[in-house]
């Protein structure tokens, strides 16, 4: 469906029923698949196409992965049970104990923890870099054992916009791929492969599913990175003993990276989504383009309102012309960025708490980027485990309020903010 516009792909891609088949993507709620002969079954264990067990692959999950792959303009993709699993798999697929990667420091707190604590425990080292550093400084972070570079298109919650082309240039100069978490803009607003990224990840839990009812993730491969250009990726370019000698790049060519996630990581770690959740995700994807447009329009209006309000000390939204990232946002996301705004209320932390407790429509929840307006204080919640120095590196100030603008009528959202500010 390459010729259709992205709005059409949201609705139509991934599943095309044949004559007499269900119009809507069926939920293949089955752990396993029946074969007539054990010979036919044996072929699946030689990684021939087909389904054997839903921990590895399932037709509902595959259809939804194919839709997201089409939206991103990628070559192959796979769903995972969460965004955390997607980011972990995107890296562990090509890194092992003794390896190192470079990551933008301004990323989601959960990802920061995964990289900074859990992955270090299994022997994978990371260097966090200031995403605004010049190329020379970024180059200095690389080591002979560096295997990947990671960043978020729009960082959660600092809303820093990543210069994807700069990061791609630096990664490629060192013979490693650039992995981009594209959760906040979604492919509706930005397709990182068009700017040189090699792998894209998602927490589909956010705008993609859009209704805060399922956790999920996705890893999409552009198919553009040459894994055989050096000897950094033996897991892809040399025989896999656990599949009696399969060589992913040789046997699956451009699908090698994703095939390895399916055959090895989903098999061994088991972070597979349920087909039921993938069905919900698909329903969300059908309206993604409409919702993202409304989220961005509402967020722009809320940001402009906040900017003019005396009780607000600062507003951060890349859609505001005076924002530090406005030019980068215009380059990478000319149609809009996301529905998330961050700001500070005059009076610091106490005023922020009073404001949040006085909101009536916007709910305090540990979530972001769904249809309902919601609000969070990251320093005391999602980023609570981080030290003050780490908070600063992540771009999270103690007074930062993260406000996720929903798709309600914007006048109601602004009225809610107004009455809550009056209570401060
Ligand atoms: N990436 C980003 C940018 C996120 O905001 C989140 C969650 O907030 C994640 C990854 C983790 O995703 P999940 O909560 O689906 O595991």
């Amino acid at each position: 469906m390459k010729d259709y516009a992205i709005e059409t792909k949201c609705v139509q891609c991934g599943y095309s029923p044949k004559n007499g088949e269900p119009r809507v993507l069926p939920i293949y709620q089955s752990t396993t698949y029946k074969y007539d002969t054990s010979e036919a079954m044996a072929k699946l264990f030689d990684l021939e196409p087909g389904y054997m067990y839903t921990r590895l692959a399932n037709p509902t999950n595959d259809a939804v992965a194919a839709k997201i792959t089409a939206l991103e303009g990628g070559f192959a993709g796979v769903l995972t049970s969460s965004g955390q699993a997607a980011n972990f798999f995107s890296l562990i697929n090509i890194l092992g104990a003794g390896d190192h990667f470079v990551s933008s420091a301004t990323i989601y707190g959960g990802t920061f923890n995964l990289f900074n604590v859990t992955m270090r425990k299994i022997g994978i080292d990371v260097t966090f870099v200031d995403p605004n550093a010049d190329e020379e400084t970024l180059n200095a972070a690389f080591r002979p054992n560096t295997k990947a570079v990671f960043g978020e298109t729009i960082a959660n919650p600092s809303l820093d916009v990543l210069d994807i082309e700069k990061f791609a240039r630096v990664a490629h100069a060192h013979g490693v791929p650039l992995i981009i978490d594209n959760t906040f803009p979604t492919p509706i607003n930005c397709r990182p492969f068009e700017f040189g990224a090699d792998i894209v990840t998602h927490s589909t839990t956010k705008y993609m599913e859009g209704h805060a009812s399922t956790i999920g993730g996705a890893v999409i491969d552009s198919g553009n990175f040459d894994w055989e250009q050096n000897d950094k990726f033996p897991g892809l370019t040399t025989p896999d003993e656990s599949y009696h000698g399969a060589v992913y790049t040789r046997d699956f060519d451009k699908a090698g990276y994703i095939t390895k996630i399916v055959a090895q990581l989903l098999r061994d770690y088991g972070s597979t989504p349920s087909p039921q959740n993938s069905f919900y995700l698909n329903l969300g994807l059908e309206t993604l383009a409409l919702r993202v447009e409304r989220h961005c329009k509402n967020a722009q209006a809320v940001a402009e309102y906040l900017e003019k309000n005396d009780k607000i000390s600062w507003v951060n939204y890349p859609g505001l012309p005076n924002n530090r990232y406005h030019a980068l946002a215009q380059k990478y996301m000319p149609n809009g960025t996301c529905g998330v705004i961050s700001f500070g209320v005059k009076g610091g932390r106490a005023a922020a708490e009073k404001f949040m407790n006085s909101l009536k429509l916007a709910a305090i929840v540990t979530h972001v980027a769904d249809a309902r307006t919601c609000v969070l204080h990251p320093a005391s919640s999602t980023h609570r485990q981080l030290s003050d120095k780490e908070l600063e590196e992540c771009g999270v100030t103690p007074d930062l309020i993260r406000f996720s603008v929903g798709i309600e009528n914007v006048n109601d959202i602004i009225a809610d903010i107004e009455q809550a500010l009056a209570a401060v």
Side-chain angles (χ1 to χ4, degrees):
M1 290 214 183
K2 277 230 171 338
D3 298 328
Y4 288 118
I6 198 150
E7 295 84 353
T8 310
K9 289 181 181 172
C10 281
V11 181
Q12 297 278 352
C13 271
Y15 172 67
S16 311
K18 298 191 193 73
N19 191 36
E21 289 184 348
R23 180 64 194 96
V24 174
L25 173 67
I27 307 172
Y28 287 87
Q29 196 69 44
S30 180
T31 55
T32 192
Y33 307 83
K34 183 242 172 205
Y35 289 90
D36 289 340
T37 64
S38 65
E39 200 185 3
M41 177 66 83
K43 286 187 177 164
L44 301 170
F45 286 81
D46 286 337
L47 292 180
E48 289 201 8
Y51 295 98
M52 58 161 106
Y53 195 61
T54 283
R55 173 155 37 82
L56 284 86
N58 169 283
T60 309
N61 295 350
D62 281 0
V64 183
K67 177 178 279 188
I68 299 174
T69 304
L71 294 177
E72 286 289 1
F75 183 80
V78 63
L79 299 187
T80 55
S81 56
S82 67
Q84 285 298 101
N87 282 332
F88 181 55
F89 282 7
S90 73
L91 287 159
I92 199 83
N93 203 34
I94 47 172
L95 280 88
D99 287 341
H100 167 262
F101 67 104
V102 173
S103 173
S104 163
T106 55
I107 50 173
Y108 165 59
T111 312
F112 193 90
N113 254 329
L114 168 69
F115 293 176
N116 196 35
V117 180
T118 305
M119 286 181 69
R120 285 192 206 276
K121 279 187 192 159
I122 56 171
I124 297 174
D125 203 1
V126 60
T127 300
F128 290 108
V129 292
D130 175 352
N132 301 308
D134 60 27
E135 290 189 32
E136 208 179 302
T137 312
L138 295 179
N139 280 328
F142 284 77
R143 305 175 190 166
N145 61 341
T146 304
K147 301 284 175 77
V149 177
F150 183 94
E152 290 177 8
T153 318
I154 305 177
N156 174 14
S158 68
L159 304 179
D160 290 12
V161 175
L162 195 81
D163 189 342
I164 300 173
E165 285 182 343
K166 177 179 74 178
F167 268 68
R169 258 194 318 274
V170 172
H172 295 161
H174 293 270
V176 304
L178 173 62
I179 302 173
I180 293 288
D181 181 330
N182 197 35
T183 297
F184 267 28
T186 82
I188 302 303
N189 283 341
C190 181
R191 288 176 296 282
F193 295 151
E194 293 172 6
F195 302 104
D198 303 288
I199 308 291
V200 160
T201 62
H202 280 279
S203 166
T204 60
T205 317
K206 308 292 168 349
Y207 291 117
M208 282 197 166
E209 193 270 349
H211 301 78
S213 58
T214 61
I215 302 282
V219 184
I220 313 297
D221 182 3
S222 64
N224 294 334
F225 191 78
D226 177 7
W227 303 103
E228 292 171 335
Q229 65 181 281
N230 52 41
D231 58 3
K232 285 179 184 278
F233 309 102
L236 285 167
T237 59
T238 62
D240 175 3
E241 293 318 318
S242 71
Y243 269 109
H244 39 81
V247 176
Y248 292 101
T249 45
R250 182 197 65 198
D251 300 347
F252 301 96
D253 195 23
K254 282 177 184 291
Y257 175 90
I258 293 295
T259 304
K260 181 167 180 283
I261 292 186
V262 173
Q264 213 180 58
L265 304 186
L266 286 177
R267 178 196 64 187
D268 294 350
Y269 291 94
S271 309
T272 314
S274 81
Q276 180 94 30
N277 275 4
S278 299
F279 176 82
Y280 293 136
L281 170 57
N282 190 48
L283 289 185
L285 287 167
E286 289 183 5
T287 57
L288 182 68
L290 286 173
R291 287 184 289 104
V292 164
E293 190 183 327
R294 173 67 85 88
H295 278 292
C296 293
K297 204 167 147 224
N298 281 359
Q300 184 71 31
V302 171
E304 286 169 12
Y305 164 82
L306 289 169
E307 210 180 22
K308 288 192 213 110
N309 196 296
D310 285 347
K311 294 197 171 176
I312 302 296
S313 45
W314 56 270
V315 184
N316 181 19
Y317 184 63
L320 293 175
N322 62 4
N323 186 271
R324 176 182 187 187
Y325 294 103
H326 190 253
L328 274 184
Q330 288 290 303
K331 173 178 174 180
Y332 291 113
M333 293 161 274
N335 297 328
T337 51
C338 65
V340 183
I341 297 172
S342 61
F343 59 91
V345 180
K346 283 182 189 159
R349 207 167 174 142
E353 273 169 25
K354 181 82 187 140
F355 166 75
M356 286 177 57
N357 296 347
S358 305
L359 288 165
K360 293 194 169 94
L361 184 73
I364 302 173
V365 298
T366 307
H367 197 234
V368 71
D370 75 75
R372 294 163 212 87
T373 297
C374 59
V375 64
L376 190 73
H377 181 233
S380 62
S381 54
T382 46
H383 290 61
R384 197 179 176 81
Q385 317 306 336
L386 273 53
S387 67
D388 284 355
K389 186 170 172 289
E390 287 167 346
L391 278 176
E392 199 185 311
E393 278 171 10
C394 275
V396 179
T397 51
D399 65 336
L400 185 152
I401 292 174
R402 185 182 72 184
F403 199 86
S404 176
V405 183
I407 58 173
E408 303 94 338
N409 185 300
V410 73
N411 296 330
D412 289 332
I413 301 170
I414 291 175
D416 190 36
I417 296 173
E418 202 155 56
Q419 66 79 28
L421 283 175
V424 173

